[in-house]
Amino acid sequence: MSTDVAHEEHHHGPPKGIGRWLFSTNHKDIGTMYLTFALTMLFVGGASAMYIRAELFMPGIQFMEPDFYNNMVTNHALIMVFAVVMPAAAGLANWMIPMMIGAPDMALPRLNNLSFWLLPAAAVMLILSTIVPFMPGTGTAVNTGWTLYPPLSIQAGMGMDFVIFTVHILGVSSILASINIVVTILNMRAPGMTLFKMPMFCWAWLFTGLLLIIIAPVLAGGVTMLLFDRHFGTSFFDAAGGGDPVLFQHLFWFFGHPEVYVLLLPSIGVIAMIIPTFSRKPLFGYKSLVGGMAVLFTLGLVAWAHHQYTVGMAAGPTTWFMIITILISIPVGLMLLNFMMTMWRGAMTFETPMLFAVSIVLMFSFAGVTGIMLAVVPADLEYHDSMFVVAHFHYALIPGALLGLFAAAFYWLPKWTGNMYDERLGKIFFWWNVIAFNLTFFPQHFYGLAGMPRRIVDYNPAFADLNMLSSIAAFAYGISHLLFLYIVIKTVKGGVKAGNKPWEGAQVGTTGLEWDLSSPPPFHSYATPPVVK
Amino acid sequence: MTTHDQYFVPEGSKWPIIASLGVLTLLAGVALAINHIQGATLMIILGFIIMGTLFFGWFGEVIGESKAGDYNSQVDASFRQGMMWFIGSEVFFFACFFGSYYYLRELTLPYLGGEGHLGKTHMLWENFKSTWPLLNLPDPAAGIKGQYSEAREAMAAWGIPALNTAILLSSGGTLTWAHWGLKKNNRRQLNIGLVLTVLLGVTFFLLQVKEYGHAYHEMNLTLHSGLYGSVFYLLTGFHGFHVVVGAIMLMAILGRTLKGHFSEHDHFGFEAVAWYWHFVDVVWLGLFIFVYWL
Ligand code: HEM
Ligand SMILES: [Cu+2]
């Protein structure tokens, strides 16, 4: 507590035993826990994806009833969004932001630990939501998809209440984590580390944190109203009592659309660190990238209803949402141009992080193109709720979020552990992962355009061949992540010593302090503030 | 308070993980209880016990550190900014409810009543007329989860609600007065101001309870009476919940000032609670204008 002895202890190594983790106030340890949790949940969420693809391997119903299939679709999305990408990004923020800006730790270290420990609680609730419907008399499974639209979500059984509370817990966790990160960035920078000297990763997280502070409470409010409609007799989403199910869609997507930027931006921040490093050139257009993110932030908050074109909104608002959505591709495109101009005439090398970064630029642009197709109202009336949308957002989210996280892991593992990862294995993982990913999701564009709907357990035999291809590739894609796990464990256990600055191009054009520290960095990075000149 | 030439990082703490267990027990208990599963009440009680212990323990620890002078100006700023952003997120929580209210009243109901661009929904219930406050429902018998029962009358603005507005606004005044006292190191003014604020807060709450009773028993305005009841109880209910939380925090602060905590320059705990209370005040003003009055 607050005795003088405690003060002495600050400057020693980590506490012994399991208490180090359970009671941690150390940003690196909490970051490690976040990352471990995310990697674990990647396999849980991946298992549900494997189930989905196994079910879709052939037309007809292979294993369980349709409700279970739809429950797996729901869980897959909720887990990947809330229990994999967001915690992993928060883990990176925890590890890197204090080191980059020269802070001793996060601004509110105990709160930081709370944000993390709420996640396992949420995971338990989510798992219960899947188990509960197997008990007699508890109603249907959570079969709504992650969007939880009423009236289906009002009619669903008891599992839905567990999902609602899962969303509440996750909301609190991400609000607290975001407050912490925003305050750390605004208040804990070392003397001389001005906002515009910060590494881009910090900027990306600043916008992410602000977004979450705005949108997470709205989702929490929306599912609260759902809970009331389910159990306390209110009629927010029931037209017979004067309510409107479409209202829930608005609330969900007011959260949901900015949420995709919450998933995207941290990874954009990561590749904005990686591309300059391996091009050995400063980032092209630092300020314009910050400006681009600011525009994305603003437009992203007023574009949500492009997910609801088919629900019958009036023409005026529909047009607004279409125009804003199309406008968003301008800052998105500019960001990608920033990256390409950084590479232009750089002395590029292609270590694993860079391979990921370049492939992200390429594949994510593709998602931008299908996004534009979906943004156009008359076209979307055809595409909506088809596998084409599924293809679009997997091209957006896997390169735009997940691969960025892998890139970050390869880029920073040497810093975190002091050991180099196995470059040969890293490259094998990259090629295996990216090829399998494309084989899985590229065909979905075709059978989506041809009319195969999403979230339905069975399909027209006409789509059988390409679905089989998707499924086979999906298993290859899923298994590739075991190689990632192996590489990580191997690196943690040992390897060639990395040195303080394993990448010669790191820190080109940024004042970030992370590479000045040893690898692995000391338990408390800084006892007194370093000075940035 | 020192400047931040030396960083402060707290020691490991057991409270966060206890909080997580508490939240899990409590919410799992609630999820079971609303589905009428036996034994769930016990879980809820256990959850509350854990959460209660937690608040005492955690805040006790922080207060101890604060009194020991561990916190430098940087920690103080972190706390302040953290609290600001927290209130910011609360703003959006209420914005969600106010926004929903606007949407339902200004868009959904007119559509259901056959007005405007999407008035074609009128074909569902041709005799339905859209009014606000909504006392006649489109189809009380056809609720997804059962029947609705229409309210007999709407809430009047100029009785207890107006009084409550006056009470809550004056409590904001007395709190500011107490703050002035604290800044002048006039402990008497501080304590009296706080006592008054707490009393006003409690009075507000009791009047609100009375009002709810009246609505339930005499006006048949319940959670089941369709959109009007839903909106009314959602907004005033969550506000009332915040009043209770705020009043409990004010009492805690009062307990501390009586023990002589806080100095003229160093009283973040006091200010955090004051900000929160003012926020609750402002929300009420919005409620009074848009839910009761207009
Ligand atoms: C140029 C930028 C983009 C445009 C114009 C765009 C447009 C759209 C549109 C119109 C839809 C709705 C399709 C429908 O349901 O009919 C959609 C769905 C989706 N987009 Fe994008 N998008 C863009 C970028 C992104 C990014 C960057 C991400 C995430 C990193 C993303 C993730 C998603 C997701 C997850 C969905 C589907 C959600 C669901 O229905 O479950 N999009 N996009
Ligand atoms: Cu969107």
Side-chain angles (χ1 to χ4, degrees):
Chain A
M1 251 109 288
S2 54
T3 56
D4 286 336
V5 187
H7 279 267
E8 293 299 303
E9 279 166 9
H10 282 337
H11 309 295
H12 298 174
K16 298 279 175 304
I18 184 84
R20 166 177 180 182
W21 304 99
L22 299 187
F23 310 142
S24 179
T25 45
N26 181 286
H27 71 101
K28 303 191 189 80
D29 284 356
I30 294 176
T32 306
M33 290 197 289
Y34 263 118
L35 291 168
T36 315
F37 177 80
L39 190 55
T40 314
M41 294 309 281
L42 178 68
F43 288 97
V44 180
S48 50
M50 295 299 99
Y51 178 84
I52 294 170
R53 277 324 315 177
E55 176 60 61
L56 295 180
F57 188 77
M58 295 186 298
I61 295 176
Q62 315 325 320
F63 307 106
M64 310 269 284
E65 327 115 64
D67 268 347
F68 185 77
Y69 172 83
N70 284 344
N71 182 234
M72 284 296 113
V73 172
T74 312
N75 280 5
H76 167 68
L78 287 175
I79 291 175
M80 289 303 187
V81 168
F82 291 105
V84 178
V85 173
M86 289 171 73
L92 297 179
N94 256 291
W95 253 101
M96 299 315 296
I97 291 177
M99 297 206 305
M100 285 173 163
I101 62 177
D105 206 291
M106 298 295 281
L108 305 159
R110 275 177 290 229
L111 204 63
N112 196 17
N113 196 21
L114 176 60
S115 329
F116 170 75
W117 280 109
L118 285 173
L119 291 178
V124 170
M125 290 291 268
L126 189 62
I127 290 168
L128 285 176
S129 82
T130 292
I131 297 174
V132 157
F134 285 100
M135 323 266 176
T138 51
T140 54
V142 180
N143 51 6
T144 56
W146 78 301
T147 47
L148 309 178
Y149 281 3
L152 198 53
S153 55
I154 293 180
Q155 292 158 332
M158 187 171 151
M160 182 56 79
D161 298 316
F162 283 87
V163 169
I164 289 174
F165 287 129
T166 306
V167 171
H168 279 130
I169 301 176
L170 291 166
V172 173
S173 159
S174 32
I175 291 172
L176 296 182
S178 303
I179 290 177
N180 214 337
I181 292 171
V182 169
V183 174
T184 303
I185 294 174
L186 294 182
N187 189 40
M188 306 293 280
R189 279 168 290 123
M193 176 61 80
T194 57
L195 282 175
F196 280 97
K197 278 189 188 165
M198 288 195 307
M200 193 52 71
F201 181 69
C202 303
W203 270 109
W205 247 111
L206 183 61
F207 286 114
T208 307
L210 292 176
L211 270 179
L212 274 171
I213 291 173
I214 295 175
I215 64 176
V218 175
L219 178 66
V223 296
T224 304
M225 289 153 77
L226 203 56
L227 189 75
F228 275 62
D229 268 18
R230 285 170 55 77
H231 291 287
F232 306 121
T234 55
S235 59
F236 296 108
F237 307 128
D238 182 359
D244 188 351
V246 178
L247 170 64
F248 184 85
Q249 303 187 3
H250 284 294
L251 295 177
F252 183 88
W253 288 113
F254 179 82
F255 156 83
H257 183 73
E259 172 69 12
V260 305
Y261 300 120
V262 166
L263 303 172
L264 168 73
L265 282 174
S267 290
I268 290 283
V270 167
I271 53 180
M273 309 302 298
I274 291 177
I275 290 185
T277 299
F278 297 98
S279 308
R280 292 161 184 80
K281 263 178 70 193
L283 182 67
F284 176 87
Y286 178 103
K287 286 201 172 157
S288 70
L289 191 52
V290 175
M293 288 198 273
V295 176
L296 196 72
F297 173 94
T298 319
L299 292 182
L301 283 170
V302 289
W304 71 88
H306 59 226
H307 296 271
Q308 304 156 235
Y309 288 149
T310 54
V311 85
M313 288 180 293
T318 307
T319 313
W320 160 275
F321 287 113
M322 172 166 102
I323 292 173
I324 297 289
T325 306
I326 296 175
L327 281 181
I328 288 181
S329 46
I330 297 174
V332 172
L334 279 179
M335 285 178 179
L336 297 176
L337 273 179
N338 276 320
F339 296 146
M340 288 188 258
M341 291 306 288
T342 309
M343 288 186 267
W344 178 253
R345 294 193 170 158
M348 293 209 283
T349 50
F350 295 93
E351 285 82 352
T352 311
M354 184 64 164
L355 283 177
F356 273 109
V358 176
S359 77
I360 288 168
V361 172
L362 218 73
M363 295 188 291
F364 185 73
S365 315
F366 191 73
V369 174
T370 52
I372 295 284
M373 293 171 69
L374 293 167
V376 180
V377 177
D380 184 65
L381 294 182
E382 287 294 324
Y383 310 147
H384 180 68
D385 252 344
S386 77
M387 291 301 276
F388 185 77
V389 177
V390 175
H392 157 71
F393 66 73
H394 281 90
Y395 267 84
L397 287 175
I398 290 182
L402 190 61
L403 297 192
L405 299 170
F406 287 143
F410 285 105
Y411 186 55
W412 284 321
L413 261 178
K415 175 94 277 168
W416 299 336
T417 62
N419 306 322
M420 261 336 249
Y421 62 88
D422 185 329
E423 186 64 54
R424 198 178 60 94
L425 286 183
K427 288 209 167 85
I428 294 176
F429 171 64
F430 167 78
W431 288 109
W432 179 1
N433 188 274
V434 164
I435 291 174
F437 158 72
N438 279 285
L439 286 177
T440 308
F441 291 100
F442 203 75
Q444 298 188 353
H445 292 101
F446 298 121
Y447 49 81
L449 286 180
M452 176 171 160
R454 64 189 282 213
R455 288 179 179 165
I456 293 191
V457 63
D458 194 4
Y459 55 87
N460 188 315
F463 310 125
D465 292 349
L466 283 178
N467 264 293
M468 197 176 283
L469 171 62
S470 272
S471 287
I472 294 171
F475 297 131
Y477 178 63
I479 295 168
S480 76
H481 297 91
L482 291 174
L483 177 58
F484 177 73
L485 183 64
Y486 173 74
I487 299 173
V488 171
I489 293 175
K490 191 165 166 231
T491 315
V492 172
K493 286 223 167 121
V496 184
K497 288 286 152 259
N500 293 2
K501 207 173 120 189
W503 313 116
E504 58 163 348
Q507 246 169 345
V508 173
T510 127
T511 35
L513 299 161
E514 69 276 27
W515 304 105
D516 297 341
L517 294 166
S518 61
S519 304
F523 188 61
H524 291 290
S525 317
Y526 312 96
T528 54
V531 177
V532 182
K533 275 163 228 90
Chain B
M1 225 189 281
T2 53
T3 53
H4 58 273
D5 47 357
Q6 180 82 34
Y7 282 139
F8 169 79
V9 178
E11 286 303 297
S13 166
K14 59 181 179 298
W15 298 117
I17 193 164
I18 294 179
S20 162
L21 281 174
V23 167
L24 182 61
T25 321
L26 186 63
L27 289 185
V30 175
L32 294 172
I34 54 183
N35 288 285
H36 315 291
I37 305 284
Q38 294 213 316
T41 335
L42 269 177
M43 269 179 88
I44 297 183
I45 294 174
L46 184 64
F48 270 118
I49 293 176
I50 302 179
M51 298 304 279
T53 325
L54 162 85
F55 280 112
F56 275 99
W58 192 332
F59 286 117
E61 203 169 297
V62 173
I63 292 167
E65 284 167 10
S66 159
K67 286 185 61 197
D70 282 359
Y71 294 161
N72 55 38
S73 57
Q74 191 177 31
V75 177
D76 191 60
S78 289
F79 282 164
R80 278 162 197 282
Q81 294 183 12
M83 188 67 194
M84 294 285 225
W85 290 113
F86 173 70
I87 291 179
S89 78
E90 288 266 43
V91 168
F92 284 97
F93 186 68
F94 277 98
C96 167
F97 293 154
F98 275 102
S100 300
Y101 170 39
Y102 171 84
Y103 181 92
L104 292 166
R105 177 173 163 181
E106 296 297 325
L107 297 170
T108 298
L109 283 183
Y111 290 158
L112 282 173
E115 292 164 39
H117 204 93
L118 296 179
K120 35 191 174 300
T121 35
H122 197 230
M123 287 184 289
L124 274 174
W125 295 291
E126 284 178 9
N127 298 323
F128 174 68
K129 274 194 204 55
S130 139
T131 54
W132 192 265
L134 182 72
L135 299 179
N136 58 321
L137 301 181
D139 193 350
I144 300 177
K145 281 266 165 175
Q147 304 210 348
Y148 301 114
S149 120
E150 290 161 336
R152 273 194 290 280
E153 49 179 317
M155 227 17 162
W158 297 109
I160 291 181
L163 181 63
N164 256 346
T165 310
I167 289 176
L168 215 51
L169 289 184
S170 12
S171 80
T174 52
L175 187 57
T176 306
W177 187 65
H179 194 189
W180 288 343
L182 177 54
K183 281 204 273 201
K184 286 184 300 196
N185 203 15
N186 180 344
R187 305 294 294 195
R188 225 176 93 80
Q189 182 178 338
L190 167 65
N191 289 335
I192 294 178
L194 269 177
V195 171
L196 285 177
T197 314
V198 170
L199 286 179
L200 287 168
V202 172
T203 317
F204 172 91
F205 177 70
L206 293 178
L207 284 175
Q208 197 72 347
V209 171
K210 183 168 146 28
E211 190 80 333
Y212 272 23
H214 175 67
Y216 252 83
H217 299 303
E218 274 121 63
M219 299 160 66
N220 196 30
L221 175 60
T222 69
L223 282 169
H224 295 263
S225 36
L227 191 60
Y228 179 59
S230 309
V231 166
F232 175 77
Y233 285 108
L234 180 80
L235 278 158
T236 57
F238 269 97
H239 175 263
F241 172 72
H242 280 73
V243 169
V244 172
V245 173
I248 292 175
M249 296 198 302
L250 280 172
M251 289 180 212
I253 293 295
L254 177 62
R256 290 185 63 189
T257 60
L258 289 177
K259 275 201 251 165
H261 291 196
F262 302 123
S263 68
E264 299 110 279
H265 306 294
D266 183 11
H267 49 257
F268 165 70
F270 180 95
E271 279 176 291
V273 174
W275 293 341
Y276 190 82
W277 192 253
H278 290 313
F279 162 71
V280 172
D281 238 15
V282 173
V283 172
W284 174 261
L285 217 61
L287 277 181
F288 180 70
I289 295 174
F290 293 111
V291 177
Y292 288 93
W293 182 12
L294 296 182

